[in-house]
Amino acid sequence: MTDRKNDLSHHTLLLGVMGDPIGHSKSPAMHNIALEASGIPGMYVPLHVKPEQLAEAVAGTKALGFSGFNVTIPHKVEMLKLMDELDESAVCCGAVNTVVIQDGKLKGYNTDGIGYVRSLKEELNSELSGKHITILGAGGAARGVVYALLREQPASVTVINRTVDKAEQLATEFSHDTLQVQSGSYDTLDKVLAQTDILINTTSIGMSPNSDETPLEQSRIPEGIIVSDLIYNPLETRFLREAKSRGCTVVGGLGMFVYQGAYAYEYWTGQPAPVSVMRSALLEAMNHQKE
Ligand code: ATR
């Protein structure tokens, strides 16, 4: 077998992820294994870029012949301004997490929300049409999820947030003729939950190192519904653990990370992403970090 890393040629697909910091990113491990599994000569590298050098770095990727890159904290919003073209997903989410470079032009996408919804459907082995869906949180992550859910013909989508104004704003922005997105505060939540099929946490409450926190007391989680958390560290949050003990079906956030990457991979390579290989690589990288 030839050593792919020592066999760089002009056919090599150059990819990467820009962030600050970037050392912790699991994307290189996940994408390099995917490229290898698909037999595509390519490399995906971590790119540590400071905010004040973002524009130069982006221009540099074009000059260096990159085919695309991912974008992570803190550059996702700023990246909007540096694109030649924006996909609807990036416009609606107000953030770019994936850039495709073709014919010298940069096109920005957001695959976070659609990645999450694809993983939710896969893990539930079910469509989302006709479902009543409630979302906790109204930040950037919630925007992506609402954007993607509205393409699935749910019966209702309700956004609950600590700062109610933000929930209202998000709901107004995403409402359209066929579906009014609802909004509310945690005080109105119990009434909303009585009619909820799927409850999704998009807040950071419960994320490591604060894994003893939860966005909703256990006694308020309706029995037997579907409960999901975008957080993937820990793999099972307190929220999901407690939902399980209420007889709920639970879906964690690991799939969102895998599928946001899978969409990006498919945009760059034009080939189906080897999703199970990517999931294993991600889990392995997470285990390594703990050692
Ligand atoms: P992200 O891009 O990850 O969504 P964000 O835009 O900062 O991050 O949004 C974080 C979301 O989590 C917000 O909806 C926030 O509520 P507020 O709008 O009221 O700030 C929510 N959130 C974070 N910590 C929270 C807490 N302790 N209690 C309730 N909501 C919280």
Side-chain angles (χ1 to χ4, degrees), residues 46-242:
L47 301 163
H48 187 191
V49 178
K50 292 277 178 201
E52 59 275 19
Q53 284 172 323
L54 188 63
E56 277 173 277
V58 169
T61 58
K62 253 204 270 194
L64 291 165
F66 272 62
S67 296
F69 54 92
N70 282 128
V71 185
T72 188
I73 292 166
H75 304 314
K76 286 187 184 188
V77 175
E78 206 53 35
M79 195 59 73
L80 282 171
K81 299 182 201 147
L82 302 172
M83 298 291 101
D84 297 308
E85 205 184 329
L86 290 171
D87 183 63
E88 181 197 63
S89 58
V91 176
C92 288
C93 299
V96 170
N97 83 324
T98 300
V99 178
V100 176
I101 308 175
Q102 211 168 19
D103 304 324
K105 293 254 185 287
L106 301 152
K107 183 167 178 181
Y109 296 79
N110 195 306
T111 67
D112 286 332
I114 57 173
Y116 170 71
V117 167
R118 189 160 144 192
S119 86
L120 187 64
K121 285 162 65 179
E122 290 264 339
E123 291 195 30
L124 295 175
N125 197 16
S126 152
E127 294 300 315
L128 305 177
S129 55
K131 303 279 196 243
H132 293 278
I133 304 175
T134 301
I135 292 166
L136 303 180
R143 290 184 80 80
V145 169
V146 172
Y147 164 74
L149 285 174
L150 291 181
R151 296 150 48 112
E152 304 290 330
Q153 287 88 44
S156 70
V157 173
T158 307
V159 179
I160 301 290
N161 198 41
R162 175 177 61 180
T163 313
V164 188
D165 287 0
K166 273 172 72 182
E168 276 170 11
Q169 199 186 328
L170 199 155
T172 308
E173 217 176 298
F174 281 91
S175 287
H176 52 75
D177 296 345
T178 48
L179 187 78
Q180 289 293 312
V181 177
Q182 308 294 320
S183 58
S185 68
Y186 280 86
D187 292 341
T188 64
L189 184 57
D190 294 324
K191 211 168 132 206
V192 173
L193 287 177
Q195 291 194 27
T196 294
D197 301 309
I198 306 178
L199 172 62
I200 304 169
N201 175 42
T202 71
T203 76
S204 50
I205 306 169
M207 190 186 290
S208 178
N210 303 313
S211 48
D212 56 333
E213 293 177 3
T214 182
L216 192 65
E217 296 147 48
Q218 182 169 357
S219 59
R220 292 178 78 185
I221 302 173
E223 288 176 355
I225 65 165
I226 293 162
V227 175
S228 179
D229 203 327
L230 263 57
I231 295 169
Y232 67 91
N233 183 16
L235 284 173
E236 187 172 81
T237 56
R238 177 177 160 195
F239 181 45
L240 292 189
R241 207 167 51 244
E242 294 184 347

Side-chain angles (χ1 to χ4, degrees), residues 262-273:
Y263 271 115
Y265 184 92
E266 289 167 4
Y267 294 159
W268 295 323
T269 66
Q271 294 195 25

